[in-house]
Amino acid sequence: MKTHTQVCVIGGGVVGCSVLYHLTKLGWSDVMLIERSELTSGSTWHAAGGFHTLNGDTNMAALQGYTIGLYKELEQITGMNCGLHHVGGITLADTPERFDMLKAERAKHRYMGLDTEILGPAEIKERAELVNIDGILGGLYDPLDGHLDPSGTTHAYARAARMGGAEIVLHNRVLETNQRADGTWEIVTEKGTVIAEHVVNAAGLWAREVGAMADIYFPLHPMEHQYLVTDEIPEIYERGTEFPHVIDPGGESYLRQEGRGLCIGFYEKPCEPWAVDGTPWEFGHELLPDKLDKVEASIEFAYRRFPVLERAGVKTVINGPFTFAPDGNPLVGPVPGVRNYWSACAVMAGFSQGGGVGLTLAQWMIEGEPAQNSFALDCARFGNWITPGYTRPKVIENYQNRFSVTYPNQELPAARPFKTTPMYDIFDGMGAVWGQQFGLEVVNYFAEGDEPRYETPSFRRSNAFAATAREVMAVRNGVGINELQNFGKFKVTGTDARAWLNRIMAGRIPAPGRVALTPMLSPKGKLIGDFTVSCLREGAFNLTASYGSQAYHLRWFLQNLQGDVQVENVSDTRTGFQIAGPKAAELLARCTRADVAAMRFMDVRPMVVGMADCVVQRLSYTGDLGYEIYCAPISQRALWAVLWAAGQDLGLRPFGMRAMMSLRLDKFFGAWLREFSPDYTAAETGLDRFIAFGKPDDFIGRAAAEAERQKGPARRLYAFEVEAEDADVIAHEPIWIDGAVRGFCTSGGYSHWAQKSIAQGLIPADLAQDGLSVEIEILGRRRPARLITEQLFDAGDPRMRG
């Protein structure tokens, strides 16, 4: 075993071996993998080995598509057999809601280039004759679905990595990981110590234990999972071709052929977390005791859906653990706050996602950033607020909902409320219907009278529609108030603060007393932030951006810190309210002795509001006349009291995020991780108008942005008015132009002010013109739409800026 290496991967399951292979594929050969037992020990060896592309997140679906396409490449490189069976798969829908979800997924696949197909009941019966189609409305067919040999595939990754120069050391448990002063890592093992420039935690079931060696908590938890293998079934072994995969969400099960019989697995509601207080080091190639009582109801349902199972004996019961993150996606990337420590954990679908995880991490390490937006799997999507007490109930909830319909407006209840602001009980008493972001309770809207305190999950307009309209009109016609807690907020100070911000941000950094909007770019010119920067005085700046991306952004700031600069995350120590609407200035003036009338659009100044020391900025994401009023949490209730009392005769009403998302559509404002994300460049989304190309600073991403500026982007973001019925654009719906899919939607919704359905989306720049007729596919139906360029509210911004 060598004693020095560029990268040490800890864990020899399919994910660790994939990371190792992709590091060599991208050019790093001085890499090694350390495994406490044999390759595949842990979750890999007992996996069912299925793979599929279906995923509600388009980037995750693309990652899964890459993984599936990789297996033939591995076989060609190594000469080994991965045991591939591309049999195709059908996901069944037995309710209108499930069928809506499948139609929405099929629409996404159109622009992704995935050749999936919506089937009717008779077509399902024709392709999978053992399915009882009673009650089935339809299904989604994917020809790429299949299964493989987990052991053979993992060893193929390992051989390919060895061929690229990697070393693999087995039967060698890691005992300690200690960071040295220069940022490298001392990895103490049973066979000696290795010094590594980088460490990758791919320890699977033991990721928590390995992370704890470096004082890192990984929010994941193992869950028990059972599947059954039947005896031989004549209808299977006498069939001319292999039986396709069938996923039956209504029965919480998946089914595929296994030899001359069938394999069926369950995601049952009475599930059970495993190894709550830690995974035993001696565990590895064992199975857990059978617990068929937990899946009794699922088995009974399966017998009705697949009657052939009633006549088949059970040959084997597999009950083994595998790990989930709270949202079911992997934990990948550089761990925030720790130099040269990388995560490749919680990959519960290792044979659907492992190849893409390995590629993503290798690109990140070697090239500085992944080729595609990886936020859905970035370990920074969870902050340092998360605890095992939060993780466990969320993992259980995610397991229970593995095959449930995923609605765009759904708010899952487990582990809530957790993080709340001082306003929680006041808003709750006013009828707040709550959502959550980054663990924080956030008001979606306010129910009144006998309206339910629960938003019905739906792909169509929900029961929040009327309440949202009420709040929108209150803002546009009077004044509304909304909490500011759910912004990511950073304090930047120091003698080099301005110079550093000019390097880290692509836009103009404002003068004292002023505010500016600026994109933040990756070295390749991709959008990694959409910031408001305010300067209180020279050397003291406030930054605001996405609340859910605060750990992601802070990691980037700290990785690129230079000079006399201090960056502090104050997201939860600075709060307040925004007020917006034509009477907002009058309301603020009633509560302060400061000269509110003298504040120009994009001004910032310290101000005492009521009794509270505040910082006030004149701007609003509603696109209306508005002010953001920031204070300390300890002063928030006093600030609320003075604003609320002063605003009663002005018609002051609270509003939530549902109204906010409608209001921003009136001005065609983009949203983070919708219009603005690492999937896109500033020029594609229109944020290039905020890039300060004239400033002398060599800001990160400048070369890429200037190159795109010279040639122009191939696609651009535009707004569309849609002739919708009872369902609006959500995201990723294809845009048809002249009978072909030429673009896709980034987000959309209903403008209650204009009483129109609005979408935003990317189409080829050379096709765009005002009034362009297109069609947007919503839930399987192509709806007429037209490109619009004039804002629906306050065109030219006289009210917002005046």
Side-chain angles (χ1 to χ4, degrees):
M1 182 179 76
K2 59 185 177 182
T3 58
H4 289 76
T5 187
Q6 191 171 10
V7 182
C8 179
V9 178
I10 302 173
V14 64
V15 174
C17 291
S18 171
V19 170
L20 195 71
Y21 163 64
H22 282 93
L23 287 170
T24 64
K25 181 179 180 179
L26 270 60
W28 282 9
S29 58
D30 181 18
V31 296
M32 68 185 300
L33 182 149
I34 297 176
E35 162 57 41
R36 51 173 283 283
S37 182
E38 297 281 354
L39 295 181
T40 77
S41 296
S43 297
T44 297
W45 76 272
H46 61 71
F51 54 78
H52 58 89
T53 58
L54 184 64
N55 192 295
D57 184 283
T58 54
N59 285 303
M60 291 299 297
L63 176 145
Q64 291 173 195
Y66 167 81
T67 300
I68 294 168
L70 178 64
Y71 293 131
K72 289 183 179 178
E73 176 185 316
L74 281 177
E75 290 184 331
Q76 293 169 354
I77 291 171
T78 64
M80 297 178 69
N81 187 350
C82 292
L84 287 176
H85 297 257
H86 277 288
V87 298
I90 302 169
T91 301
L92 305 176
D94 60 353
T95 66
E97 292 77 16
R98 286 196 175 98
F99 206 21
D100 276 350
M101 184 180 77
L102 296 183
K103 288 184 284 189
E105 290 304 305
R106 171 64 188 105
K108 295 176 188 177
H109 296 165
R110 290 193 195 280
Y111 78 84
M112 294 176 65
L114 296 175
D115 187 24
T116 57
E117 182 182 355
I118 292 290
L119 304 179
E123 295 170 299
I124 293 171
K125 192 69 174 178
E126 182 179 338
R127 301 192 193 198
E129 69 283 354
L130 300 181
V131 176
N132 175 5
I133 59 172
D134 289 350
I136 295 298
L137 302 180
L140 179 70
Y141 176 74
D142 188 342
L144 291 179
D145 280 14
H147 58 276
L148 45 65
D149 170 22
S151 178
T153 301
T154 304
H155 283 276
Y157 274 123
R159 177 177 289 184
R162 286 190 178 106
M163 292 169 66
E167 178 181 354
I168 296 176
V169 183
L170 304 179
H171 301 287
N172 186 30
R173 182 159 74 89
V174 172
L175 304 174
E176 299 177 25
T177 59
N178 303 309
Q179 188 160 44
R180 307 188 336 154
D182 62 356
T184 61
W185 288 87
E186 176 188 70
I187 302 161
V188 181
T189 76
E190 293 174 328
K191 295 182 179 179
T193 298
V194 177
I195 304 301
E197 183 179 343
H198 299 275
V199 176
V200 177
N201 185 340
L205 290 174
W206 296 269
R208 293 175 298 173
E209 287 69 32
V210 170
M213 296 176 186
D215 294 325
I216 299 168
Y217 170 64
F218 287 95
L220 56 86
H221 204 288
M223 296 292 295
E224 295 188 18
H225 179 66
Q226 291 186 102
Y227 65 89
L228 317 178
V229 180
T230 72
D231 290 327
E232 294 183 351
I233 299 174
E235 290 90 336
I236 291 296
Y237 64 73
E238 292 176 358
R239 201 174 188 271
T241 58
E242 191 168 355
F243 195 76
H245 283 206
V246 181
I247 295 177
D248 180 21
E252 304 165 344
S253 69
Y254 58 88
L255 177 140
R256 68 167 177 82
Q257 184 169 336
E258 174 70 15
R260 292 162 65 90
L262 289 170
C263 164
I264 182 166
F266 307 98
Y267 284 90
E268 71 284 0
K269 299 297 184 193
C271 57
E272 191 168 333
W274 181 75
V276 171
D277 295 315
T279 304
W281 287 109
E282 63 274 12
F283 185 84
H285 278 278
E286 301 88 348
L287 290 173
L288 305 177
D290 302 345
K291 295 183 179 178
L292 293 180
D293 58 312
K294 290 197 308 173
V295 295
E296 184 176 348
S298 297
I299 292 174
E300 183 180 339
F301 195 103
Y303 283 174
R304 295 195 298 271
R305 181 65 67 214
F306 311 104
V308 71
L309 291 172
E310 288 190 281
R311 305 190 301 274
V314 175
K315 181 169 67 175
T316 309
V317 179
I318 304 293
N319 185 18
F322 66 127
T323 57
F324 275 87
D327 60 3
N329 280 348
L331 299 170
V332 180
V335 174
V338 187
R339 291 173 63 191
N340 299 336
Y341 196 109
W342 303 78
S343 175
C345 305
V347 189
M348 54 76 54
F351 293 98
S352 290
Q353 301 173 345
V357 165
L359 175 66
T360 298
L361 194 65
Q363 289 173 334
W364 218 327
M365 297 177 76
I366 296 172
E367 299 172 7
E369 60 183 290
Q372 68 175 39
N373 175 15
S374 59
F375 190 80
L377 63 156
D378 191 337
C379 57
R381 71 186 185 276
F382 298 109
N384 57 13
W385 53 270
I386 200 166
T387 67
Y390 177 92
T391 297
R392 188 163 53 256
K394 294 305 288 187
V395 164
I396 292 170
E397 179 182 62
N398 189 275
Y399 184 99
Q400 292 171 330
N401 288 280
R402 177 85 173 101
F403 284 157
S404 299
V405 179
T406 302
Y407 296 98
N409 66 330
Q410 189 168 21
E411 296 287 352
L412 296 173
R416 295 178 56 197
F418 182 30
K419 295 165 60 180
T420 61
T421 75
M423 289 300 299
Y424 181 82
D425 61 328
I426 293 177
F427 283 156
D428 200 57
M430 298 175 74
V433 178
W434 296 96
Q436 74 85 32
Q437 184 184 21
F438 210 59
L440 174 72
E441 294 298 312
V442 178
V443 179
N444 281 338
Y445 65 96
F446 289 87
E448 294 184 358
D450 60 357
E451 292 175 343
R453 295 285 297 273
Y454 174 75
E455 182 178 3
T456 305
S458 178
F459 288 93
R460 302 170 190 272
R461 292 172 187 163
S462 77
N463 61 324
F465 191 80
T468 303
R470 188 168 61 229
E471 293 173 17
V472 164
M473 299 311 289
V475 172
R476 290 286 185 247
N477 294 323
V479 58
I481 186 166
N482 174 270
E483 197 170 20
L484 283 176
Q485 178 70 29
N486 59 322
F487 282 151
K489 312 174 198 76
F490 301 92
K491 183 178 179 182
V492 178
T493 56
T495 57
D496 296 321
R498 179 176 293 277
W500 180 77
L501 284 169
N502 267 315
R503 176 177 173 273
I504 209 84
M505 299 291 177
R508 179 181 58 82
I509 304 305
R514 294 290 289 163
V515 181
L517 305 179
T518 171
M520 186 167 70
L521 307 180
S522 76
K524 295 180 180 178
K526 297 290 188 177
L527 287 170
I528 58 172
D530 168 30
F531 279 83
T532 300
V533 179
S534 60
C535 180
L536 297 175
R537 61 184 182 279
E538 199 57 52
F541 297 85
N542 291 330
L543 280 57
T544 58
S546 162
Y547 186 80
S549 297
Q550 60 185 265
Y552 169 87
H553 286 140
L554 182 61
R555 180 181 63 194
W556 182 251
F557 293 155
L558 297 180
Q559 286 173 346
N560 291 279
L561 210 56
Q562 290 181 349
D564 176 30
V565 181
Q566 296 79 46
V567 179
E568 182 183 357
N569 183 358
V570 294
S571 299
D572 290 330
T573 57
R574 182 176 294 160
T575 188
F577 304 96
Q578 69 162 318
I579 55 173
K583 299 178 182 179
E586 183 178 353
L587 172 59
L588 181 58
R590 290 180 178 186
C591 302
T592 181
R593 295 184 62 80
D595 187 358
V596 173
M599 283 193 77
R600 300 167 297 165
F601 181 63
M602 304 297 276
D603 269 356
V604 59
R605 62 181 58 179
M607 189 179 295
V608 175
V609 182
M611 297 181 292
D613 277 322
C614 300
V615 171
V616 179
Q617 301 181 166
R618 189 184 152 186
L619 71 162
S620 172
Y621 190 54
T622 65
D624 213 318
L625 170 65
Y627 301 85
E628 294 178 351
I629 309 169
Y630 293 95
C631 67
I634 202 168
S635 305
Q636 189 183 18
R637 289 170 71 108
L639 177 61
W640 163 264
V642 72
L643 291 168
W644 185 248
Q648 291 306 294
D649 65 324
L650 300 176
L652 179 64
R653 297 187 73 148
F655 66 100
M657 291 307 297
R658 295 285 184 262
M660 181 79 81
M661 289 298 102
S662 175
L663 290 160
R664 61 108 183 177
L665 290 174
D666 297 341
K667 303 288 284 186
F668 311 152
F669 288 170
W672 181 244
L673 294 182
R674 293 295 194 181
E675 283 69 41
F676 311 139
S677 86
D679 286 314
Y680 316 124
T681 66
E684 288 175 330
T685 60
L687 284 185
D688 56 334
R689 68 187 185 277
F690 296 114
I691 294 180
F693 286 106
K695 70 180 183 181
D697 309 86
D698 187 20
F699 58 84
I700 295 172
R702 178 166 195 148
E706 288 183 334
E708 186 174 42
R709 185 189 190 195
Q710 290 180 358
K711 67 178 182 180
R715 60 185 184 180
R716 285 188 184 274
L717 181 71
Y718 294 96
F720 300 86
E721 181 182 331
V722 188
E723 294 181 26
E725 292 183 335
D726 64 340
D728 303 299
V729 159
I730 298 164
H732 308 300
E733 293 85 351
I735 300 174
W736 297 74
I737 302 176
D738 296 330
V741 175
R742 302 299 304 276
F744 62 93
C745 296
T746 52
S747 76
Y750 191 79
S751 164
H752 289 277
W753 168 255
Q755 298 186 30
K756 295 177 179 179
S757 184
I758 302 298
Q760 297 192 76
L762 290 156
I763 63 170
D766 59 356
L767 297 180
Q769 58 180 345
D770 193 30
L772 174 72
S773 293
V774 305
E775 293 177 303
I776 296 177
E777 185 175 345
I778 302 175
L779 300 180
R781 295 190 60 191
R782 286 155 63 171
R783 306 300 307 168
R786 66 182 184 91
L787 190 153
I788 54 176
T789 56
E790 183 171 321
Q791 295 172 339
L792 305 174
F793 167 78
D794 195 35
D797 304 335
R799 192 152 99 183
M800 184 175 74
R801 295 173 178 272

